[in-house]
Amino acid sequence: MGSAFKADPAFDAGSVVVCDWPLCEVRLQDDARFPWLILIPRRAGLHELEDLTANERAALMDEVVRAGDLVRTLGEAAGRPVQKLNVGALGNVTAQLHLHVVGRRHDDGLWPDPVWGRGVARPYGANGLQTAVSRVRLKARDVPTK
């Protein structure tokens, strides 16, 4: 796994590292409005999905599914079960290849619009962030890899 890998510093402004999976660094978006994880493949110089090998793309899809399970866990814990998972690889602001896995609800305030660049993030706060990170780390160990 790339010793040259480093997540773009822009990610630090709005998310925290939760754990590493076989391919990706897993980050929690610090926005309590939505259960939201970011997956960043730990390879240097990636910008597009096509920059991954076929095997890496398959691994990424497996990790997206795992992340979706964790996002659902966060939604349940907040008393707001996820009704729809949104997965996006935009890269318009941060070009480094990354995927957002966001839990949405019909009553989430931005529905049906996208979450990116909309409204003001509501940080979890220190205790809430620590709780969410711990919940994801604990559950991440229980979600099988393929």
Side-chain angles (χ1 to χ4, degrees):
M1 207 57 53
S3 61
F5 167 78
K6 180 159 177 47
D8 188 301
F11 289 108
D12 294 334
S15 66
V16 296
V17 176
V18 175
C19 61
D20 284 334
W21 282 345
L23 179 63
C24 293
E25 176 178 279
V26 180
R27 300 181 72 96
L28 174 69
Q29 184 74 14
D30 190 9
D31 187 347
R33 298 176 301 164
F34 310 100
W36 185 341
L37 295 176
I38 301 170
L39 302 178
I40 308 172
R42 293 189 330 270
R43 303 283 193 276
L46 299 179
H47 296 282
E48 304 293 345
L49 289 169
E50 65 200 32
D51 296 336
L52 295 168
T53 67
N55 287 339
E56 289 169 334
R57 287 191 300 272
L60 180 59
M61 282 296 100
D62 285 344
E63 291 184 9
V64 165
V65 171
R66 287 180 74 188
D69 184 60
L70 296 176
V71 163
R72 289 183 188 283
T73 296
L74 288 170
E76 288 286 336
R80 301 190 45 76
V82 169
Q83 294 173 323
K84 178 69 178 108
L85 285 173
N86 287 177
V87 178
L90 301 175
N92 295 343
V93 174
T94 306
Q96 182 176 24
L97 179 61
H98 62 286
L99 277 78
H100 297 266
V101 182
V102 185
R104 300 296 307 272
R105 293 178 50 86
H106 295 116
D107 62 356
D108 70 21
L110 289 180
W111 186 270
D113 295 334
V115 299
W116 296 275
R118 303 294 303 270
V120 177
R122 191 176 79 230
Y124 280 94
N127 289 340
L129 188 61
Q130 182 179 7
T131 298
V133 167
S134 295
R135 184 168 281 121
V136 171
R137 284 181 180 153
L138 180 64
K139 177 75 176 177
R141 292 190 307 235
D142 297 336
V143 178
T145 59
K146 298 209 186 285

